[in-house]
């Protein structure tokens, strides 16, 4: 039995880097330190695998699948490359290169999750801190529209609520925890204070908090279903914290105020920094969706929703985003990796995806592989191949390879490089 230590868990944006993985005969037999989700991901890695490259439902050789993929992309007038949140930075870099080679559109799953957060960040900036700083310094933690005990199971234990840090030696006892949400979640039960707000009232509540911070006299008794007195004491708690952080969830992105919700939140927290050190952090879901944004930004200047059809990057969420491209039936082929859009996109977008030739790089059989013309098996990044990923706070971590992939499976970046090579050969480059 070989034991790998300090393995990074490639599931959620926490990227816990203390996992121990025991391997015997090339199969993962046990893991330590991971949560139930992590355990399931590692222990079931070998199940339900794509066994071989497939074209039109027929098993083919790897090179045949690459050649058909290259032919589809090269012949397309408007190909889209989509996904990228469950793969490594190395593959994301090559995917951007491929988009440039074929003059296509590139979008990552940010456009259906924290896209509004990114747009808000571009408008007003964002006060941030790393999860290490939170653990070592923060004495006030607020979860706003996020339920870490169920979505990011070790966040509270490792980084935010319970751990003892350099300047937080009392751990949980030395921290005040507030949960603000539209319903009483499991996370609300671990909080010192739970504030229930009306659905879609976040924008109003942030504006009132900002007004209270400025000492404005609020004439109403209640805003967004919350007594103004409760909001006044929350502001006092925030002003007098030594260090605080708000972790917020997807609900803020999907309210009717969209990115203006987040602009209001970031602007409020920015003003709070006149009194104390306070940060705000989105709870990123997929383990490397932050990498998809970071790598796209280094390479092109933009984090998602990119059009390369003119030979240089253009950025326009709402126009070059996957759901919009599919709704307008604008794209005529798609290459998908690090995502399962048929499970996550709106049903009409998924139906339109099924109407065009789709090339999918996948390790497991998914609804998207079932509608794909070409399926190419890949190694599970962070389990069967090495790579780098960005944690939700922007810290890059190196993921390990702990077992060999299936004989037919290569890393995402190798498959993408081979598709580029095949396109170049077709063009006589
Ligand atoms: S919290 Fe997330 S990263 Fe950490 S072990 Fe669980 S699934 Fe993996």
């Amino acid at each position: 039995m070989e034991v790998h230590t300090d393995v990074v868990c490639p599931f959620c944006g926490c990227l816990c880097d203390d996992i121990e993985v025991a391997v015997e005969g090339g199969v993962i037999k046990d893991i330590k330190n991971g949560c139930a989700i992590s355990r399931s991901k590692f222990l079931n890695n070998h199940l339900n695998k794509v066994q071989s490259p497939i074209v039109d439902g027929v098993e083919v050789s790897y090179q045949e699948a690459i050649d058909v993929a290259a032919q589809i992309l090269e012949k397309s007038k408007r190909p889209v490359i989509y996904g990228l949140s469950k793969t490594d930075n190395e593959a994301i870099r090559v995917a951007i290169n491929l988009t440039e080679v074929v003059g296509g559109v590139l979008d990552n799953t940010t456009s259906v999750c924290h896209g509004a957060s990114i747009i808000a960040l571009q408008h007003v900036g964002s006060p941030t801190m790393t999860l290490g700083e939170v653990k070592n310094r923060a004495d006030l933690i607020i979860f706003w529209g996020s339920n870490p005990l169920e979505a990011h199971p070790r966040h509270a234990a490792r980084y935010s609520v319970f751990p003892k840090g350099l300047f937080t030696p009392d751990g949980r006892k030395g921290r005040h925890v507030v949960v603000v949400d539209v319903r009483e979640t499991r996370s609300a039960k671990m909080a010192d204070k739970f504030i229930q707000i009306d659905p879609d009232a976040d924008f109003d509540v942030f504006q009132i908090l900002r007004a209270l911070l400025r000492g404005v006299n609020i004439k109403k008794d209640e805003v967004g279903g919350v007594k103004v007195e409760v909001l006044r004491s929350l502001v006092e708690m925030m002003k007098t914290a030594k260090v605080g952080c708000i972790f917020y969830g997807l609900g803020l992105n999907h309210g009717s105020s969209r990115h203006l919700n987040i602009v209001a939140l970031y602007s409020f927290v920015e003003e709070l920094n006149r009194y104390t050190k306070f940060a705000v952090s989105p709870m990123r879901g997929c383990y490397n969706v932050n990498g998809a944004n970071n790598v796209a930004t280094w390479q092109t200047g933009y984090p998602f929703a990119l059009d390369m059809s003119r030979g240089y990057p253009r950025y326009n969420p709402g126009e070059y985003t996957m759901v919009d491209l599919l709704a307008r039936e604008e794209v005529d082929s798609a290459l998908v990796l690090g995502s399962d859009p048929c499970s996550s996109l709106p049903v009409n977008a998924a139906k339109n995806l099924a109407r065009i030739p789709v090339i999918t790089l996948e390790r497991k059989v998914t609804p998207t592989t079932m509608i794909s013309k070409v399926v190419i098996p890949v190694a599970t990044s962070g389990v069967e191949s090495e790579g780098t990923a960005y944690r939700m706070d922007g810290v890059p971590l190196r993921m390990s390879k702990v077992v060999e992939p299936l004989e037919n499976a290569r890393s995402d970046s190798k498959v993408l490089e081979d598709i580029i090579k095949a396109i170049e050969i077709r063009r006589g480059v």
Side-chain angles (χ1 to χ4, degrees), residues 10 41 49-50 62 66 69 81-98 287-288 335-339 359-364 369 375-389 399 405-406 408-421:
K41 169 137 188 178
K49 288 272 199 178
V50 176
Y62 174 72
I66 292 289
I81 288 156
Y82 177 73
L84 307 172
S85 58
K86 287 187 270 183
T87 187
D88 46 64
N89 295 339
E90 291 77 358
I92 296 163
R93 183 180 61 78
V94 188
I96 294 164
N97 187 9
L98 174 61
Y287 74 86
N288 200 27
L335 183 144
V336 173
L337 76 154
S339 173
I359 304 145
T360 299
L361 278 48
E362 247 301 351
R363 60 198 187 94
K364 300 253 186 184
T369 62
V375 181
I376 304 177
V378 287
T380 313
S381 185
V383 179
E384 297 169 340
S385 66
E386 282 192 319
T388 310
M399 302 183 296
L406 290 181
N408 270 323
R410 281 104 172 141
S411 66
D412 285 318
S413 52
K414 171 76 176 120
V415 175
L416 292 166
E417 278 163 6
D418 287 344
I419 293 174
I420 293 175
K421 254 188 239 153

Side-chain angles (χ1 to χ4, degrees), residues 299-338:
Q299 302 273 86
T300 68
Y302 305 115
F304 65 108
L306 287 164
D307 179 17
M308 298 279 210
S309 61
R310 292 191 187 170
Y312 55 88
R314 291 184 298 156
Y315 168 63
N316 197 7
E319 184 175 5
Y320 309 136
T321 29
M322 185 66 164
V323 172
D324 305 280
L325 290 163
L326 289 170
R328 293 194 302 270
E329 299 186 42
E330 187 177 316
V331 282
D332 57 357
S333 73
L335 183 144
V336 173
L337 76 154

Side-chain angles (χ1 to χ4, degrees), residues 95-318:
I96 294 164
N97 187 9
L98 174 61
T99 312
E100 195 171 5
V101 167
V102 298
V105 197
L106 178 131
D107 191 28
N108 55 59
T109 59
T110 302
S111 63
V112 289
C113 62
H114 273 283
S117 298
I118 303 268
I119 295 168
L121 175 73
Q122 290 167 330
H123 275 66
V124 291
S126 160
T128 62
M129 63 175 74
T130 65
L131 292 173
E133 286 175 284
V134 171
K135 171 185 167 182
N136 284 304
R137 295 176 187 277
D139 60 347
L140 175 58
I141 301 293
I142 300 177
F143 293 105
W144 196 296
S146 71
N147 182 9
L149 288 194
E150 283 172 329
H152 299 79
R154 295 183 75 212
H155 189 281
R158 238 172 100 72
Y159 304 115
S160 54
V161 176
F162 297 102
K164 295 181 179 174
L166 206 54
F167 303 104
T168 52
D170 298 328
R172 175 70 183 91
K173 282 190 200 139
R175 286 194 184 92
H176 206 76
V177 178
V178 178
V179 168
V180 183
D181 215 323
V182 296
R183 65 187 171 91
E184 192 173 359
T185 58
R186 259 186 74 206
S187 301
K189 295 194 172 78
M190 80 171 169
D192 299 301
K193 185 165 187 58
F194 168 56
I195 301 174
Q196 186 158 6
I197 67 171
D198 289 343
D200 217 6
D202 308 275
F203 179 85
D204 296 346
V205 173
F206 292 139
Q207 296 296 63
I208 293 296
L209 288 172
R210 197 170 169 195
L212 290 167
L213 187 67
R214 290 178 178 188
V216 175
N217 183 23
I218 307 294
K219 292 191 179 131
K220 292 188 80 166
D221 292 335
E222 193 179 299
V223 175
V226 189
K227 296 256 178 283
V228 169
E229 273 321 299
V230 172
L231 296 177
R232 199 186 306 281
S233 65
L234 180 61
V235 167
E236 275 314 304
M237 196 190 295
M238 294 169 98
K239 274 169 72 176
T240 52
K242 284 196 191 117
V243 176
C245 189
I246 298 180
F247 293 99
Y248 70 94
L250 275 184
L252 292 193
N253 287 257
H254 294 251
S256 55
S257 306
R258 303 286 292 182
H259 70 281
L260 296 178
N261 267 338
I262 325 274
V263 167
L265 170 62
Y266 287 3
S267 304
F268 164 58
V269 175
E270 188 254 308
E271 282 196 27
L272 203 50
N273 277 274
R274 294 173 195 176
Y275 300 88
T276 188
K277 170 73 184 161
F278 226 97
V280 59
S281 172
M283 297 287 270
R284 303 306 300 265
C286 295
Y287 74 86
N288 200 27
V289 64
N290 204 2
N293 300 141
N294 271 281
V295 178
T297 306
W298 313 330
Q299 302 273 86
T300 68
Y302 305 115
F304 65 108
L306 287 164
D307 179 17
M308 298 279 210
S309 61
R310 292 191 187 170
Y312 55 88
R314 291 184 298 156
Y315 168 63
N316 197 7

Side-chain angles (χ1 to χ4, degrees), residues 9 11-16 19 33-35 37-38 152-155:
C9 169
F11 185 80
C12 82
C14 289
L15 281 186
C16 299
I19 311 294
N33 300 336
C35 65
I37 300 172
S38 169
H152 299 79
R154 295 183 75 212
H155 189 281

